[in-house]
Amino acid sequence: MLPSPDEFKITLEQLLPGVSLTLDAGWLVVAPNDLVAVCRCLKENERFSLDYLANLTAVDYPSEQRMDLVYHLYSMAKKHGPVMLKVRLPRAHPVVASVTPIWRGAEFQEREVYDLFGVTFEGHPDLRRILMWEGFEGHPMRKDYVVEDQDVPT
Amino acid sequence: MAVIGSGVLRGMGVTFKTFLETYPWGRLILRTLRIPVTNGLFTIPYPETKQQHPERFRYFPFLVYDGTPDNLRCVACKICEQECPPQCIHIVMEKDEQGRPVKAHGRTLPKQFDIDMSICMSCRICVDVCPFDAIEMDNEYELSASDRYEHMIFDKHKLLKSADYFQKIKPTEAATVDARLAAKKPKA
Amino acid sequence: MSSLDQLFVNLSGWLLSFFPAGARPWADIALKIGVLVAIAPAIMMYLTWIERKIIARMQNRFGPDRVGIYGLLQPISDGLKMLIKEDIVPRGADRLLHLAAPILSVVPAILLFAVLPFGRNMIPADLNVGLLYFFAVSSIGSYAIFMGGWASRSKFSILGAMRSVAQIISYEVPAILSVVAVIMVAGTLSTVGIVEAQAERWFFFTPWGVVGGLIFFLSGIAEVNRTPFDMPEAESELVAGFHTEYSGMKFALWYMAEFLESFAVCAFTVTFFLGGWHAPAVPFWTLALLLAVIVGAGTRLAIPVRGAGVLGMLGAAALWGAQPIPSWIWFFAKTYVLIFVLVWLRGTFPRLRIDQLMGLAWKFLLPLGLINILAAGLWAWFPFPVGTAASALALIVSAWLLVRINNPAPLQPRTYVFAD
Amino acid sequence: MELKTSISPTIETQQLEVNLGPQHPSTHGVFRMIATLDGERIVKLKPVMGYLHRNHEQIGERATYIASFPFTDRLDYFCAMSNNFGLALAIEKLGGIQASERGEYLRVIMAELTRLVNHTAVIGFLLNDMGAFGTPLLYAFREREKILDLFEAASGSRMMCNYVRPGGVREDVPEGWLERAREIVNAFPRFLDEFEALLTENEIVQQRCQHVGVLSKELAMNASITGPMLRASGVNYDIRKVDGYSIYPRFTFKIPLGTVGDVYDRYYVRILEMRESVNILQQALKEIPDSSASPAISPKGLALVKAPRTFRPPRGEAYGRIEAPKGELGFYLVSDGSSQPYRYHVRAPSFINLTVLEDMCLGYKVADVIIILGSIDIVMGEVDR
């Protein structure tokens, strides 16, 4: 069955020297620059074999000037439950490595996060806006994105 | 492996059976050949015969009044305006010059109660949250209008309908609402 | 021959008698052209009505019944709508070709009716090369389609036009081969001659006739771009194929051409294989008696229904015994049965992909057509029992072999695992 | 974007770039594919989406938990009931609400009826894309209408049901509804047999669908494909069995898996899934507790329906997911203690299933692209959110 989060933390830190993981209420918080290493290990490691990235999205915290990337990982082979990864990024200039080379399913979800939140993913095969049209500026899902109401008489 | 053409022919058999089923003489032939007749004509000529909607069919809301139109149940508490997901209800409470709410039949009442029917998606949340059972869902769906702004914004007078109209279109629902009101009556 | 059978022949004779002797042949031609050009749109309009009603009934719905009783005036209102519709020509289109294409597609469709034997000596132009004329005229249609597709300068139209030319050309070959067998047996190219040759035995009731008839009918459907071969105007992929950029009366002309040609295909299949205007070998009144017996014996039916049924059938038998059904009614009856089959196919099947379509024509129908000629030869050469058996055997073996060789998308049944 | 011109010794041909959509008769909504064709063969295919983007997630953040229920009907407008079910499960996980027994049964019945509604519509549209002039679609819609009448009788609207709530269902079903439901469910297998007689053995359908748009098992798992598409490639992953949410573990049903993973398998796995859903429905309709035994909605849920503002879930996050007819439909809710979600994200199956559209279409013809897209079964409301 699914090992507990702190078991993950211990095994991951053994397998990948120099990786720092913290636990936050069942979430594994990973530093941005060793995200790819952790994800690759989670996928290839025989005991975890988390080969299915169910959900990838971002949460915007303007008050703490940070933006969280949320990863829900499952295993289709072993059919065990969610492992939740979190990556904290600075809100001003959020950049992180893309996990599309590891899970192809992340391709569209990362493009959506780029489009709506403005997080740039290095190494993404085709990072373009997916929902908005090309000439659109701004990122609609950020908390501080306010569109002035057209038909309010100014 | 079945003969190459058999799948195609069986497919044609299904359509021919459906073709026969729609005609009375066709059904006669099928019955004599002991082929089960499942469903014949399914569509109805709309303006002549109208489809029978079940009782809970909901389209746009309406305000309920008991007896005379000015004795409406709504007290302009604006809970529905707050809870309406697409925010399409606009209420202004009846006030006198000094700004004090005017009471009729012991209750405050709305001076203006507009629902923009082109935005309302008849989701019935206003009916769920209304503590006074003042608003109910109608099942009148032939409401086409030529102009979006004048005709589609229903004002108070257009929305008001009597309680026995509500009794007529939705008997079981009206029964539960009346029971609840009766239970509340002695207290008020 | 009874008067009813020669009704139209006597009628035209009486009409021509008003003209002076010198102008009579010209009047005859003018009368025939007038009749054809009047009948063709009527046939087309009521074909659309028939198709919409039958397909509607196959889909549990009524079909048009608003305009006129049972929707009989619907085709007229459609025609009126087409007249009123604005005729849009795309900006980049080549205006002249865009106008010429639909006309060029309707003209051969009407010309085909010239050699069609509607009834006993009721044929507009009795050419002794009627069959050659039929194939020559029907191949002009592919020019018109490509001209239409090319002239509207839209990517979808070009794709549709290219597909249609490839399809029509590759389906003319099996059509001609299947008719070669008919020519060999009937010994003449004239359509009247072919119908006379089927006096005592329709070609369809011979082994090579069945296969030839099916090949001709399938190739005819493909040439007319109707389901399951309607690739050129595949709505789901190419929006509307070669006539995407047409509207108004021009689109109606495309529509008329398609329906007239599909009527012509059914009519010529009846002429070549189903005995033209011949009544079935079994006299019809015996069939009526047979029906009377069946209805009488029908135990499940209510007594009055059975009684009425039997009486009706007996009356019909007596009538038809004395006055046999006229030949042109037989021709139209058989043609409309085939049209029902055409519409039935359209109501049931999805369309074939373009390469499977081509594969079917070149790799299956063409060799089968050649072998069919051999089978017809065997049938004609050897006396009755041996000839028929030999040709039937040859055809069945070759058909099975062809299916085995072509091996269409390996059709072994699929296994599905049921996991818990 | 230069178009390679393949110069064969004899003819010089140029590739053709065609826009399939957004106004196109068979793209299941406003969806555009920029296809580069070499003759009829697809060389490159870029999907373009976003024409129906309403920023559903921001609307969810500015509304109470209950007010976003009618908007979930509009996500995948073919399966309103199972969308509501997904959001209800996520809110129950977030707010710790326990649904009533009868409410659970009613929700499972509605979800499985939605699966029938969705799969019939999908197969009907797939055949329509293949060129069948509406007949299979109208047979499918005839059966679908009977089930939609059931939804209308229970929830008040055929497609925009807004019926499931955290804790159960908004109102109990009217009396006589369960008998009618049993009747329709028992008559459904006969319709399926007739539908299969028309389609499964049909040589034209087999020729058009077999070995077209093959999706390998590894690519499907790696590209987070879920739903019938994944199972048609042979991966045994059905969230009803894996998570065992709601009361699905009480029912015995099988998961059909394909072997080749082409359009034909996706079509046939959906038909087998419909038979399994009928199986579940028959069991659920038999075991449903009487309304006197357990209410249709738990008291906590009822309070939430009556006064949505009073529901303030504790700070925290929850990711609820269900097996929607199209795949895994997930709702990710972040609560900051107020009555409105801080972050409301929908994991839409159609959106992610489109990732492999290009991989499946390369090398096939234009006619195949349309039916491959049809077999993926996307609904633009869910793709663009």
Side-chain angles (χ1 to χ4, degrees), chain C residues 58 60 155 163 236-237 347 351 353 408 414 416-417 419, chain D residues 17 24 40 129-130 135 142 207-208 255 257 262 265 368:
Chain C
M58 284 184 183
N60 297 104
K155 285 179 179 142
R163 282 184 182 181
S236 55
E237 299 110 53
R351 74 175 59 87
R353 204 179 49 209
R414 287 290 177 82
Y416 289 93
V417 170
Chain D
E17 193 191 67
H24 192 281
E40 284 271 341
D129 293 348
M130 256 188 264
T135 312
R142 178 188 69 209
Q207 288 244 332
R208 276 296 298 275
I255 306 296
L257 304 177
D262 54 6
D265 266 0
D368 296 331

PDB file of all heavy atoms in Angstrom, chain C residues 58 60 155 163 236-237 347 351 353 408 414 416-417 419, chain D residues 17 24 40 129-130 135 142 207-208 255 257 262 265 368:
ATOM      1  N   MET C  58     -37.276   5.815 -40.988  1.00  0.00           N
ATOM      2  CA  MET C  58     -36.277   4.866 -40.463  1.00  0.00           C
ATOM      3  C   MET C  58     -35.686   5.384 -39.159  1.00  0.00           C
ATOM      4  O   MET C  58     -34.952   4.666 -38.485  1.00  0.00           O
ATOM      5  CB  MET C  58     -35.146   4.677 -41.481  1.00  0.00           C
ATOM      6  CG  MET C  58     -35.539   3.797 -42.629  1.00  0.00           C
ATOM      7  SD  MET C  58     -34.110   3.532 -43.701  1.00  0.00           S
ATOM      8  CE  MET C  58     -34.855   2.583 -44.965  1.00  0.00           C
ATOM      9  N   ASN C  60     -37.608   6.875 -36.670  1.00  0.00           N
ATOM     10  CA  ASN C  60     -38.700   7.093 -35.716  1.00  0.00           C
ATOM     11  C   ASN C  60     -39.259   8.489 -35.768  1.00  0.00           C
ATOM     12  O   ASN C  60     -39.739   9.005 -34.758  1.00  0.00           O
ATOM     13  CB  ASN C  60     -38.186   6.879 -34.260  1.00  0.00           C
ATOM     14  CG  ASN C  60     -37.742   5.447 -34.060  1.00  0.00           C
ATOM     15  OD1 ASN C  60     -36.566   5.192 -34.031  1.00  0.00           O
ATOM     16  ND2 ASN C  60     -38.677   4.536 -33.982  1.00  0.00           N
ATOM     17  N   LYS C 155     -10.051  25.275 -50.063  1.00  0.00           N
ATOM     18  CA  LYS C 155      -9.272  24.031 -49.869  1.00  0.00           C
ATOM     19  C   LYS C 155     -10.208  22.841 -49.782  1.00  0.00           C
ATOM     20  O   LYS C 155      -9.955  21.789 -50.334  1.00  0.00           O
ATOM     21  CB  LYS C 155      -8.442  24.164 -48.586  1.00  0.00           C
ATOM     22  CG  LYS C 155      -7.257  25.081 -48.784  1.00  0.00           C
ATOM     23  CD  LYS C 155      -6.449  25.241 -47.499  1.00  0.00           C
ATOM     24  CE  LYS C 155      -5.257  26.150 -47.728  1.00  0.00           C
ATOM     25  NZ  LYS C 155      -5.007  27.018 -46.552  1.00  0.00           N
ATOM     26  N   ARG C 163     -11.101  14.070 -54.843  1.00  0.00           N
ATOM     27  CA  ARG C 163     -11.624  12.752 -54.445  1.00  0.00           C
ATOM     28  C   ARG C 163     -12.681  12.279 -55.449  1.00  0.00           C
ATOM     29  O   ARG C 163     -12.722  11.120 -55.843  1.00  0.00           O
ATOM     30  CB  ARG C 163     -12.300  12.869 -53.072  1.00  0.00           C
ATOM     31  CG  ARG C 163     -11.380  12.915 -51.906  1.00  0.00           C
ATOM     32  CD  ARG C 163     -12.231  12.933 -50.658  1.00  0.00           C
ATOM     33  NE  ARG C 163     -11.427  13.034 -49.441  1.00  0.00           N
ATOM     34  CZ  ARG C 163     -11.958  13.052 -48.230  1.00  0.00           C
ATOM     35  NH1 ARG C 163     -13.263  12.977 -48.091  1.00  0.00           N
ATOM     36  NH2 ARG C 163     -11.206  13.143 -47.153  1.00  0.00           N
ATOM     37  N   SER C 236     -18.947  15.431 -42.899  1.00  0.00           N
ATOM     38  CA  SER C 236     -18.256  15.537 -41.606  1.00  0.00           C
ATOM     39  C   SER C 236     -16.820  15.987 -41.822  1.00  0.00           C
ATOM     40  O   SER C 236     -16.227  16.580 -40.938  1.00  0.00           O
ATOM     41  CB  SER C 236     -18.272  14.186 -40.896  1.00  0.00           C
ATOM     42  OG  SER C 236     -17.719  13.225 -41.773  1.00  0.00           O
ATOM     43  N   GLU C 237     -16.218  15.705 -42.986  1.00  0.00           N
ATOM     44  CA  GLU C 237     -14.820  16.163 -43.073  1.00  0.00           C
ATOM     45  C   GLU C 237     -14.715  17.429 -43.904  1.00  0.00           C
ATOM     46  O   GLU C 237     -14.155  18.430 -43.478  1.00  0.00           O
ATOM     47  CB  GLU C 237     -13.926  15.104 -43.726  1.00  0.00           C
ATOM     48  CG  GLU C 237     -13.867  13.793 -42.987  1.00  0.00           C
ATOM     49  CD  GLU C 237     -14.586  12.707 -43.759  1.00  0.00           C
ATOM     50  OE1 GLU C 237     -14.268  12.538 -44.921  1.00  0.00           O
ATOM     51  OE2 GLU C 237     -15.501  12.107 -43.182  1.00  0.00           O
ATOM     52  N   GLY C 347     -29.791   5.574 -45.397  1.00  0.00           N
ATOM     53  CA  GLY C 347     -30.250   5.703 -44.019  1.00  0.00           C
ATOM     54  C   GLY C 347     -29.511   4.800 -43.050  1.00  0.00           C
ATOM     55  O   GLY C 347     -29.704   4.901 -41.848  1.00  0.00           O
ATOM     56  N   ARG C 351     -19.844   6.167 -44.182  1.00  0.00           N
ATOM     57  CA  ARG C 351     -19.206   6.161 -45.522  1.00  0.00           C
ATOM     58  C   ARG C 351     -17.849   5.460 -45.434  1.00  0.00           C
ATOM     59  O   ARG C 351     -17.243   5.361 -44.371  1.00  0.00           O
ATOM     60  CB  ARG C 351     -19.062   7.593 -46.035  1.00  0.00           C
ATOM     61  CG  ARG C 351     -17.995   8.407 -45.381  1.00  0.00           C
ATOM     62  CD  ARG C 351     -17.867   9.760 -46.053  1.00  0.00           C
ATOM     63  NE  ARG C 351     -19.087  10.535 -46.029  1.00  0.00           N
ATOM     64  CZ  ARG C 351     -19.442  11.340 -45.028  1.00  0.00           C
ATOM     65  NH1 ARG C 351     -18.653  11.460 -43.985  1.00  0.00           N
ATOM     66  NH2 ARG C 351     -20.562  12.002 -45.056  1.00  0.00           N
ATOM     67  N   ARG C 353     -13.870   5.069 -46.309  1.00  0.00           N
ATOM     68  CA  ARG C 353     -12.768   6.018 -46.494  1.00  0.00           C
ATOM     69  C   ARG C 353     -12.303   5.957 -47.947  1.00  0.00           C
ATOM     70  O   ARG C 353     -12.504   4.965 -48.645  1.00  0.00           O
ATOM     71  CB  ARG C 353     -11.614   5.639 -45.554  1.00  0.00           C
ATOM     72  CG  ARG C 353     -10.711   6.821 -45.223  1.00  0.00           C
ATOM     73  CD  ARG C 353      -9.607   6.419 -44.274  1.00  0.00           C
ATOM     74  NE  ARG C 353      -8.940   5.206 -44.718  1.00  0.00           N
ATOM     75  CZ  ARG C 353      -8.371   4.349 -43.864  1.00  0.00           C
ATOM     76  NH1 ARG C 353      -8.441   4.568 -42.570  1.00  0.00           N
ATOM     77  NH2 ARG C 353      -7.746   3.291 -44.310  1.00  0.00           N
ATOM     78  N   PRO C 408      -9.583  -7.498 -46.393  1.00  0.00           N
ATOM     79  CA  PRO C 408      -9.861  -6.143 -45.865  1.00  0.00           C
ATOM     80  C   PRO C 408      -9.558  -6.118 -44.378  1.00  0.00           C
ATOM     81  O   PRO C 408      -9.686  -7.142 -43.703  1.00  0.00           O
ATOM     82  CB  PRO C 408     -11.364  -5.980 -46.119  1.00  0.00           C
ATOM     83  CG  PRO C 408     -11.896  -7.351 -46.273  1.00  0.00           C
ATOM     84  CD  PRO C 408     -10.804  -8.184 -46.843  1.00  0.00           C
ATOM     85  N   ARG C 414     -12.498  -9.495 -32.063  1.00  0.00           N
ATOM     86  CA  ARG C 414     -11.682  -8.915 -30.984  1.00  0.00           C
ATOM     87  C   ARG C 414     -12.012  -9.599 -29.663  1.00  0.00           C
ATOM     88  O   ARG C 414     -13.155  -9.948 -29.410  1.00  0.00           O
ATOM     89  CB  ARG C 414     -12.050  -7.430 -30.832  1.00  0.00           C
ATOM     90  CG  ARG C 414     -11.529  -6.580 -31.952  1.00  0.00           C
ATOM     91  CD  ARG C 414     -10.029  -6.464 -31.874  1.00  0.00           C
ATOM     92  NE  ARG C 414      -9.501  -5.701 -33.004  1.00  0.00           N
ATOM     93  CZ  ARG C 414      -9.487  -4.358 -33.029  1.00  0.00           C
ATOM     94  NH1 ARG C 414      -9.979  -3.679 -32.049  1.00  0.00           N
ATOM     95  NH2 ARG C 414      -8.984  -3.739 -34.073  1.00  0.00           N
ATOM     96  N   TYR C 416     -12.147  -9.168 -25.511  1.00  0.00           N
ATOM     97  CA  TYR C 416     -12.205  -8.078 -24.537  1.00  0.00           C
ATOM     98  C   TYR C 416     -12.073  -8.680 -23.154  1.00  0.00           C
ATOM     99  O   TYR C 416     -12.821  -9.572 -22.784  1.00  0.00           O
ATOM    100  CB  TYR C 416     -13.528  -7.301 -24.683  1.00  0.00           C
ATOM    101  CG  TYR C 416     -13.517  -6.495 -25.949  1.00  0.00           C
ATOM    102  CD1 TYR C 416     -14.037  -7.019 -27.120  1.00  0.00           C
ATOM    103  CD2 TYR C 416     -12.910  -5.249 -25.991  1.00  0.00           C
ATOM    104  CE1 TYR C 416     -13.977  -6.320 -28.292  1.00  0.00           C
ATOM    105  CE2 TYR C 416     -12.840  -4.535 -27.171  1.00  0.00           C
ATOM    106  CZ  TYR C 416     -13.371  -5.074 -28.312  1.00  0.00           C
ATOM    107  OH  TYR C 416     -13.313  -4.372 -29.488  1.00  0.00           O
ATOM    108  N   VAL C 417     -11.088  -8.218 -22.403  1.00  0.00           N
ATOM    109  CA  VAL C 417     -10.829  -8.766 -21.061  1.00  0.00           C
ATOM    110  C   VAL C 417     -11.803  -8.086 -20.098  1.00  0.00           C
ATOM    111  O   VAL C 417     -12.045  -6.882 -20.194  1.00  0.00           O
ATOM    112  CB  VAL C 417      -9.362  -8.431 -20.651  1.00  0.00           C
ATOM    113  CG1 VAL C 417      -9.147  -8.760 -19.191  1.00  0.00           C
ATOM    114  CG2 VAL C 417      -8.406  -9.129 -21.579  1.00  0.00           C
ATOM    115  N   ALA C 419     -11.854  -7.228 -16.524  1.00  0.00           N
ATOM    116  CA  ALA C 419     -11.120  -7.242 -15.251  1.00  0.00           C
ATOM    117  C   ALA C 419     -12.091  -6.886 -14.136  1.00  0.00           C
ATOM    118  O   ALA C 419     -13.148  -6.310 -14.376  1.00  0.00           O
ATOM    119  CB  ALA C 419     -10.013  -6.200 -15.296  1.00  0.00           C
TER     120      ALA C 419
ATOM    121  N   GLU D  17      -1.997  23.298 -45.960  1.00  0.00           N
ATOM    122  CA  GLU D  17      -2.344  23.506 -44.543  1.00  0.00           C
ATOM    123  C   GLU D  17      -3.821  23.847 -44.461  1.00  0.00           C
ATOM    124  O   GLU D  17      -4.285  24.819 -45.072  1.00  0.00           O
ATOM    125  CB  GLU D  17      -1.510  24.661 -43.963  1.00  0.00           C
ATOM    126  CG  GLU D  17      -1.585  24.700 -42.444  1.00  0.00           C
ATOM    127  CD  GLU D  17      -0.986  25.989 -41.893  1.00  0.00           C
ATOM    128  OE1 GLU D  17      -1.582  27.068 -42.135  1.00  0.00           O
ATOM    129  OE2 GLU D  17       0.083  25.904 -41.276  1.00  0.00           O
ATOM    130  N   HIS D  24     -16.750  23.924 -37.791  1.00  0.00           N
ATOM    131  CA  HIS D  24     -16.636  22.692 -38.592  1.00  0.00           C
ATOM    132  C   HIS D  24     -17.708  21.739 -38.086  1.00  0.00           C
ATOM    133  O   HIS D  24     -17.958  21.683 -36.894  1.00  0.00           O
ATOM    134  CB  HIS D  24     -15.225  22.105 -38.401  1.00  0.00           C
ATOM    135  CG  HIS D  24     -14.931  21.011 -39.398  1.00  0.00           C
ATOM    136  ND1 HIS D  24     -15.403  19.737 -39.245  1.00  0.00           N
ATOM    137  CD2 HIS D  24     -14.258  21.037 -40.565  1.00  0.00           C
ATOM    138  CE1 HIS D  24     -15.002  19.007 -40.272  1.00  0.00           C
ATOM    139  NE2 HIS D  24     -14.299  19.761 -41.090  1.00  0.00           N
ATOM    140  N   GLU D  40      -3.727  13.418 -48.819  1.00  0.00           N
ATOM    141  CA  GLU D  40      -4.761  13.177 -47.818  1.00  0.00           C
ATOM    142  C   GLU D  40      -4.140  12.867 -46.457  1.00  0.00           C
ATOM    143  O   GLU D  40      -4.803  12.882 -45.448  1.00  0.00           O
ATOM    144  CB  GLU D  40      -5.607  11.948 -48.246  1.00  0.00           C
ATOM    145  CG  GLU D  40      -6.591  12.227 -49.346  1.00  0.00           C
ATOM    146  CD  GLU D  40      -7.950  12.706 -48.802  1.00  0.00           C
ATOM    147  OE1 GLU D  40      -8.201  12.460 -47.610  1.00  0.00           O
ATOM    148  OE2 GLU D  40      -8.693  13.353 -49.556  1.00  0.00           O
ATOM    149  N   ASP D 129     -19.980  11.209 -37.412  1.00  0.00           N
ATOM    150  CA  ASP D 129     -18.720  11.667 -38.027  1.00  0.00           C
ATOM    151  C   ASP D 129     -18.310  10.716 -39.132  1.00  0.00           C
ATOM    152  O   ASP D 129     -17.667  11.106 -40.097  1.00  0.00           O
ATOM    153  CB  ASP D 129     -17.605  11.714 -36.964  1.00  0.00           C
ATOM    154  CG  ASP D 129     -17.904  12.794 -35.944  1.00  0.00           C
ATOM    155  OD1 ASP D 129     -18.810  13.602 -36.225  1.00  0.00           O
ATOM    156  OD2 ASP D 129     -17.272  12.817 -34.885  1.00  0.00           O
ATOM    157  N   MET D 130     -18.685   9.453 -38.989  1.00  0.00           N
ATOM    158  CA  MET D 130     -18.278   8.485 -40.018  1.00  0.00           C
ATOM    159  C   MET D 130     -19.183   8.611 -41.236  1.00  0.00           C
ATOM    160  O   MET D 130     -18.940   7.957 -42.235  1.00  0.00           O
ATOM    161  CB  MET D 130     -18.396   7.063 -39.459  1.00  0.00           C
ATOM    162  CG  MET D 130     -17.082   6.440 -39.086  1.00  0.00           C
ATOM    163  SD  MET D 130     -17.343   4.746 -38.671  1.00  0.00           S
ATOM    164  CE  MET D 130     -17.466   4.872 -36.911  1.00  0.00           C
ATOM    165  N   THR D 135     -28.903   8.102 -38.578  1.00  0.00           N
ATOM    166  CA  THR D 135     -29.753   7.028 -38.042  1.00  0.00           C
ATOM    167  C   THR D 135     -29.231   6.514 -36.702  1.00  0.00           C
ATOM    168  O   THR D 135     -29.971   6.531 -35.733  1.00  0.00           O
ATOM    169  CB  THR D 135     -29.836   5.880 -39.077  1.00  0.00           C
ATOM    170  OG1 THR D 135     -30.137   6.461 -40.320  1.00  0.00           O
ATOM    171  CG2 THR D 135     -30.866   4.889 -38.682  1.00  0.00           C
ATOM    172  N   ARG D 142     -32.919   8.658 -29.056  1.00  0.00           N
ATOM    173  CA  ARG D 142     -34.258   8.210 -28.627  1.00  0.00           C
ATOM    174  C   ARG D 142     -34.152   7.592 -27.232  1.00  0.00           C
ATOM    175  O   ARG D 142     -34.901   7.948 -26.321  1.00  0.00           O
ATOM    176  CB  ARG D 142     -34.753   7.172 -29.657  1.00  0.00           C
ATOM    177  CG  ARG D 142     -36.099   6.564 -29.372  1.00  0.00           C
ATOM    178  CD  ARG D 142     -36.372   5.430 -30.345  1.00  0.00           C
ATOM    179  NE  ARG D 142     -35.492   4.279 -30.100  1.00  0.00           N
ATOM    180  CZ  ARG D 142     -35.115   3.431 -31.060  1.00  0.00           C
ATOM    181  NH1 ARG D 142     -35.510   3.612 -32.300  1.00  0.00           N
ATOM    182  NH2 ARG D 142     -34.339   2.403 -30.783  1.00  0.00           N
ATOM    183  N   GLN D 207     -14.234  -1.647 -41.136  1.00  0.00           N
ATOM    184  CA  GLN D 207     -13.127  -1.187 -42.002  1.00  0.00           C
ATOM    185  C   GLN D 207     -12.673   0.212 -41.588  1.00  0.00           C
ATOM    186  O   GLN D 207     -11.495   0.511 -41.555  1.00  0.00           O
ATOM    187  CB  GLN D 207     -13.635  -1.132 -43.455  1.00  0.00           C
ATOM    188  CG  GLN D 207     -13.844  -2.477 -44.085  1.00  0.00           C
ATOM    189  CD  GLN D 207     -12.897  -2.656 -45.259  1.00  0.00           C
ATOM    190  OE1 GLN D 207     -12.518  -1.684 -45.880  1.00  0.00           O
ATOM    191  NE2 GLN D 207     -12.510  -3.867 -45.503  1.00  0.00           N
ATOM    192  N   ARG D 208     -13.641   1.060 -41.246  1.00  0.00           N
ATOM    193  CA  ARG D 208     -13.277   2.454 -40.950  1.00  0.00           C
ATOM    194  C   ARG D 208     -12.582   2.573 -39.593  1.00  0.00           C
ATOM    195  O   ARG D 208     -11.797   3.481 -39.380  1.00  0.00           O
ATOM    196  CB  ARG D 208     -14.555   3.321 -40.912  1.00  0.00           C
ATOM    197  CG  ARG D 208     -15.037   3.819 -42.241  1.00  0.00           C
ATOM    198  CD  ARG D 208     -14.108   4.750 -42.953  1.00  0.00           C
ATOM    199  NE  ARG D 208     -13.789   6.007 -42.319  1.00  0.00           N
ATOM    200  CZ  ARG D 208     -14.538   7.110 -42.415  1.00  0.00           C
ATOM    201  NH1 ARG D 208     -15.675   7.071 -43.084  1.00  0.00           N
ATOM    202  NH2 ARG D 208     -14.164   8.241 -41.841  1.00  0.00           N
ATOM    203  N   ILE D 255     -14.876  -4.460 -15.277  1.00  0.00           N
ATOM    204  CA  ILE D 255     -14.317  -3.336 -16.057  1.00  0.00           C
ATOM    205  C   ILE D 255     -13.881  -3.898 -17.416  1.00  0.00           C
ATOM    206  O   ILE D 255     -12.953  -4.706 -17.465  1.00  0.00           O
ATOM    207  CB  ILE D 255     -13.083  -2.748 -15.350  1.00  0.00           C
ATOM    208  CG1 ILE D 255     -13.414  -2.377 -13.912  1.00  0.00           C
ATOM    209  CG2 ILE D 255     -12.556  -1.566 -16.117  1.00  0.00           C
ATOM    210  CD1 ILE D 255     -14.446  -1.285 -13.794  1.00  0.00           C
ATOM    211  N   LEU D 257     -11.905  -4.198 -20.813  1.00  0.00           N
ATOM    212  CA  LEU D 257     -10.627  -3.644 -21.305  1.00  0.00           C
ATOM    213  C   LEU D 257     -10.462  -4.047 -22.765  1.00  0.00           C
ATOM    214  O   LEU D 257     -10.792  -5.169 -23.137  1.00  0.00           O
ATOM    215  CB  LEU D 257      -9.445  -4.206 -20.497  1.00  0.00           C
ATOM    216  CG  LEU D 257      -9.476  -4.006 -18.978  1.00  0.00           C
ATOM    217  CD1 LEU D 257      -8.272  -4.683 -18.344  1.00  0.00           C
ATOM    218  CD2 LEU D 257      -9.466  -2.528 -18.672  1.00  0.00           C
ATOM    219  N   ASP D 262      -7.591   0.897 -30.596  1.00  0.00           N
ATOM    220  CA  ASP D 262      -7.891   1.778 -31.749  1.00  0.00           C
ATOM    221  C   ASP D 262      -9.327   2.292 -31.621  1.00  0.00           C
ATOM    222  O   ASP D 262      -9.985   2.072 -30.597  1.00  0.00           O
ATOM    223  CB  ASP D 262      -7.712   0.994 -33.058  1.00  0.00           C
ATOM    224  CG  ASP D 262      -8.551  -0.285 -33.006  1.00  0.00           C
ATOM    225  OD1 ASP D 262      -9.313  -0.448 -32.024  1.00  0.00           O
ATOM    226  OD2 ASP D 262      -8.407  -1.111 -33.917  1.00  0.00           O
ATOM    227  N   ASP D 265     -11.903  -0.306 -30.655  1.00  0.00           N
ATOM    228  CA  ASP D 265     -11.891  -0.725 -29.240  1.00  0.00           C
ATOM    229  C   ASP D 265     -12.555   0.335 -28.374  1.00  0.00           C
ATOM    230  O   ASP D 265     -13.352   0.017 -27.486  1.00  0.00           O
ATOM    231  CB  ASP D 265     -10.436  -0.930 -28.785  1.00  0.00           C
ATOM    232  CG  ASP D 265     -10.058  -2.405 -28.961  1.00  0.00           C
ATOM    233  OD1 ASP D 265     -10.936  -3.158 -29.410  1.00  0.00           O
ATOM    234  OD2 ASP D 265      -8.912  -2.771 -28.683  1.00  0.00           O
ATOM    235  N   ASP D 368      -9.916   9.999 -41.179  1.00  0.00           N
ATOM    236  CA  ASP D 368      -9.663   9.302 -39.908  1.00  0.00           C
ATOM    237  C   ASP D 368      -9.543  10.291 -38.755  1.00  0.00           C
ATOM    238  O   ASP D 368      -9.963   9.986 -37.634  1.00  0.00           O
ATOM    239  CB  ASP D 368      -8.348   8.496 -40.011  1.00  0.00           C
ATOM    240  CG  ASP D 368      -8.498   7.423 -41.064  1.00  0.00           C
ATOM    241  OD1 ASP D 368      -9.633   6.972 -41.256  1.00  0.00           O
ATOM    242  OD2 ASP D 368      -7.506   7.078 -41.719  1.00  0.00           O
TER     243      ASP D 368
END
